């Protein structure tokens, strides 16, 4: 396990900053001697910084039989180190008037604080310390496991919509761990213990497996100095851990399932398709799917909403989304909420007919340009938020994208053509790649 007390050898000549050119804010990057990647996004409008540490591991990296361990360890990371007892880090952030949080996704886990700029060094010290010094007593592991179990009960076991989402993901990903919920399966969470957590911690929580992102009122050379004095003292494990994941097989059969429960207030039709992600797609596949989701379901002017809600009155809501930022093949979703007296079966027929008409009806030049404008504008607006900037770059690098690819994304969207959209719709939005789910209300 890395040791924060063993100082890494510092460069006699510091590696140069990489300043990425192009549109958007300035971005600087460098790598410490111990392998920690660092990204700096200066934003001097207010004397505040957002400090984020991203680890290249998420729930899809959970060992077989230990689903939920990445999320469980995220909870345990707040239980103290040899230097700082449980709760001290959070108390300091609060006392400084800052904000903090953490989250686990399929492909990464991240921890962040937002504080006044003069407290950046303090945040780095605390975060570097728990990269290596985590102390897990049995007295805290069991109660925190109970917290996670209760979280699952509240979010999933009592929520029919969440149960449907889990079942659909499990049916879509028959072999890949994206079909396992991030929080884990209940029976496997119950078996998680201290050794599971420590083994996972030692494997993934190393500097060469982490990305530090600092956005705010800072200079790159200042961030380098502070990072070398804190994170730079963490001894590396030696090499970045390999992510061993099975590849999802090519789907051959359309799947249907339903969750029926008296607690359901509004029936819903959902559908998932297995599609390429930004990391697995060929050429413009991912950008085209991103734009297609916007055209089909990006609000009240979208194709689905116009056809199913406004023109035919079959639904009270309809939309689409695409989870493109993933390491492996991912999901594209369409959904609709039936109007009064409309069955889910009739609504599904209408959705199928609407999908078949995409090349002929949905891809006119005006709709295409409006969708491009909305998508690019949303991205530009999001960069006005310091925390959003940090999240954009951190999440992208954590799945293997580069800073250049992030900054090129608006141009990639602009380059998508009508033919690209028709091609991905006809290739990927087909029954064999789909899982359709009904959320139904039953009598009590």
């Amino acid at each position: 396990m890395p040791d924060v007390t063993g100082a890494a050898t510092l460069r006699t000549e510091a590696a140069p900053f990489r300043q990425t050119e192009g549109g958007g804010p300035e971005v600087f990057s460098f790598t410490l001697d111990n392998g920690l990647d660092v990204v700096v996004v200066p934003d001097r409008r207010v004397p505040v910084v957002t400090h984020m540490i991203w680890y290249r591991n998420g729930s899809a990296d959970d060992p077989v039989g230990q689903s939920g361990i990445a999320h469980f360890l995220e909870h345990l990371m707040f239980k103290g180190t040899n230097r700082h007892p449980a709760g001290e880090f959070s108390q300091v952030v609060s006392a400084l008037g800052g904000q903090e949080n953490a989250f686990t996704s399929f492909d990464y886990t991240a921890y962040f604080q937002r504080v006044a700029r003069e407290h950046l060094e303090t945040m780095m010290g605390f975060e570097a310390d728990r990269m290596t010094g985590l102390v897990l007593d049995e007295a805290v592991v069991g109660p925190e496991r109970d917290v996670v179990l209760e979280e699952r009960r509240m979010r999933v076991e009592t929520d029919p919509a969440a149960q449907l989402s889990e079942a659909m993901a499990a049916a879509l990903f028959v072999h890949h761990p994206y079909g396992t919920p991030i929080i884990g399966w209940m029976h496997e969470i119950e078996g998680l213990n201290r050794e599971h957590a420590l083994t996972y911690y030692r494997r993934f929580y190393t500097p060469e497996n982490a990305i530090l992102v600092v956005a705010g009122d800072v200079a790159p050379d200042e961030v380098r100095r502070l990072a070398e004095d804190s994170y730079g003292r963490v001894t590396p494990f030696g090499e970045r851990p390999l992510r061993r994941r099975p590849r999802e097989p090519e789907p051959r059969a359309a799947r249907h399932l339903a969750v029926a429960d008296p607690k359901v207030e509004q029936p819903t039709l959902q559908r998932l398709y297995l599609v390429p992600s930004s990391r697995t797609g060929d050429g413009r596949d991912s950008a085209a799917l991103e734009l297609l989701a916007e055209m089909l379901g990006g609000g009240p002017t979208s194709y689905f909403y116009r056809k199913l809600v406004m023109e035919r009155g079959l639904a009270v809501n309809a939309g689409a989304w695409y989870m493109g930022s993933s390491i492996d093949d991912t999901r594209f979703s369409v959904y609709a909420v039936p109007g009064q007296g409309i069955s889910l079966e009739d609504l599904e027929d209408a959705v199928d007919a609407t999908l078949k008409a995409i090349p002929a009806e949905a891809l006119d030049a005006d709709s295409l340009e409006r969708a491009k404008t909305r998508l690019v504008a949303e991205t530009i607006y999001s960069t006005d938020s310091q925390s959003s900037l940090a999240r954009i770059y951190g999440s992208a690098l954590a799945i293997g994208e580069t800073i250049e690819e992030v900054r090129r994304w608006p141009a990639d969207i602009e380059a998508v053509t009508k033919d690209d959209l028709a091609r991905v719709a006809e290739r990927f939005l087909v029954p064999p790649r789909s899982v359709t789910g009904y959320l139904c209300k039953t009598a009590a």
Side-chain angles (χ1 to χ4, degrees):
M1 185 169 68
D3 179 6
V4 76
T5 63
T9 302
L10 299 180
R11 294 183 179 91
T12 55
E13 180 177 350
F17 289 109
R18 292 185 59 212
Q19 179 177 1
T20 307
E21 302 296 337
E26 288 184 313
V27 181
F28 300 84
S29 63
F30 56 94
T31 302
L32 300 186
D33 283 350
N34 59 9
L36 178 73
D37 291 321
V38 184
V39 176
V40 184
V41 189
D43 176 10
R44 298 181 175 86
R45 291 173 295 177
V46 291
V48 172
V49 294
T50 297
H51 169 260
M52 301 193 76
I53 189 76
W54 298 74
Y55 292 97
R56 295 177 175 94
N57 68 280
S59 65
D61 302 296
D62 291 350
V64 175
Q66 297 176 29
S67 65
I69 189 64
H71 173 255
F72 184 35
L73 181 57
E74 176 212 314
H75 278 240
L76 294 174
M77 287 290 284
F78 291 86
K79 296 306 176 182
T81 67
N82 285 315
R83 294 184 177 185
H84 304 290
E88 181 182 342
F89 193 174
S90 296
Q91 290 167 7
V92 169
V93 173
S94 178
L96 295 175
Q99 302 168 327
E100 67 164 348
N101 212 332
F103 52 88
T104 304
S105 187
F106 290 109
D107 294 316
Y108 47 75
T109 307
Y111 304 82
F112 72 91
Q113 304 84 36
R114 191 165 188 259
V115 294
R117 67 175 308 280
E118 61 267 25
H119 303 308
L120 175 60
E121 182 176 10
T122 301
M123 298 301 102
M124 284 190 176
F126 271 103
E127 202 68 83
D129 175 52
R130 70 175 173 182
M131 181 182 284
T132 185
L134 186 64
V135 175
L136 294 183
D137 293 331
E138 291 287 358
V140 302
V141 172
E144 198 61 34
R145 182 177 56 239
D146 291 340
V147 169
V148 175
L149 288 168
E150 183 59 25
E151 181 182 343
R152 180 176 169 87
R153 290 188 191 98
M154 292 178 62
R155 292 186 178 182
V156 181
E157 307 301 323
T158 61
D159 185 348
Q163 294 165 22
L164 177 64
S165 295
E166 277 196 353
M168 291 182 67
L172 184 71
F173 297 101
V174 299
H175 191 47
H176 192 280
Y178 285 166
T180 299
I182 293 171
I183 197 172
W185 299 116
M186 180 69 83
H187 67 287
E188 292 188 346
I189 300 171
E190 290 172 341
L192 297 178
N193 59 40
R194 177 176 180 272
E195 285 307 311
H196 293 148
L198 285 174
T199 298
Y200 194 86
Y201 174 68
R202 290 164 181 156
R203 179 186 177 199
F204 287 112
Y205 281 62
T206 66
E208 62 267 54
N209 198 48
I211 304 156
L212 169 65
V213 182
V214 179
D217 188 15
V218 291
D221 56 352
E222 175 191 15
V223 173
R224 185 202 292 274
R225 176 181 61 80
L226 295 175
E228 287 180 339
D229 286 346
S230 52
Y231 293 104
R233 295 180 178 273
V234 180
T235 303
F237 183 80
E239 58 183 274
R240 186 179 301 170
L242 296 176
R243 287 174 144 174
R244 298 181 177 90
R245 298 178 178 182
R247 180 180 175 185
E248 185 67 22
E250 188 69 13
R252 301 298 183 193
R255 288 137 286 175
H256 283 71
L257 50 86
V259 169
D261 193 284
K263 294 191 293 293
V264 173
E265 296 182 358
Q266 176 63 66
T268 306
L269 167 71
Q270 298 183 41
R271 181 174 292 164
L272 297 177
Y273 293 94
L274 183 68
V275 299
S277 71
S278 62
R279 306 311 299 154
T280 62
D282 295 330
R284 289 200 287 260
D285 281 357
S286 181
L289 287 164
E290 190 86 50
L291 189 57
L292 184 63
E294 180 68 23
M295 295 184 70
L296 296 184
T301 61
S302 66
Y303 174 64
F304 269 5
Y305 196 93
R306 190 172 70 250
K307 290 293 182 180
L308 298 174
V309 179
M310 299 180 68
E311 293 182 9
R312 301 185 63 184
L314 298 175
V316 295
N317 194 17
W321 52 265
Y322 168 59
M323 189 183 292
S325 296
S326 302
I327 290 176
D328 301 307
D329 284 351
T330 186
R331 61 197 87 186
F332 186 107
S333 174
V334 298
Y335 62 89
V337 178
Q340 185 68 30
I342 306 299
S343 70
L344 288 172
E345 291 79 6
D346 288 343
L347 184 59
E348 183 180 0
D349 289 342
V351 167
D352 288 337
T354 305
L355 287 166
K356 288 179 181 178
I358 286 174
E361 297 184 2
L363 307 180
D364 60 278
D366 288 344
S367 295
L368 177 59
E369 289 307 310
R370 284 198 303 270
K372 287 181 178 180
T373 299
R374 285 197 304 271
L375 268 184
V376 174
E378 287 170 4
T379 301
I380 293 173
Y381 296 154
S382 69
T383 63
D384 193 51
S385 164
Q386 191 182 101
S387 58
S388 293
L389 271 175
R391 284 175 178 253
I392 287 169
Y393 285 100
S395 60
L397 269 64
I399 66 168
E401 293 183 347
T402 65
I403 293 173
E404 288 77 9
E405 286 175 311
V406 174
R407 294 168 72 83
R408 195 178 65 224
W409 183 84
D412 290 342
I413 293 295
E414 292 288 358
V416 173
T417 66
K418 175 182 177 180
D419 290 342
D420 292 327
L421 296 169
R423 174 178 54 79
V424 295
E426 292 172 349
R427 180 179 177 187
F428 299 117
L429 304 191
V430 293
R433 304 185 72 87
S434 72
V435 175
T436 302
Y438 287 3
L439 184 64
C440 316
K441 184 176 182 62
T442 57

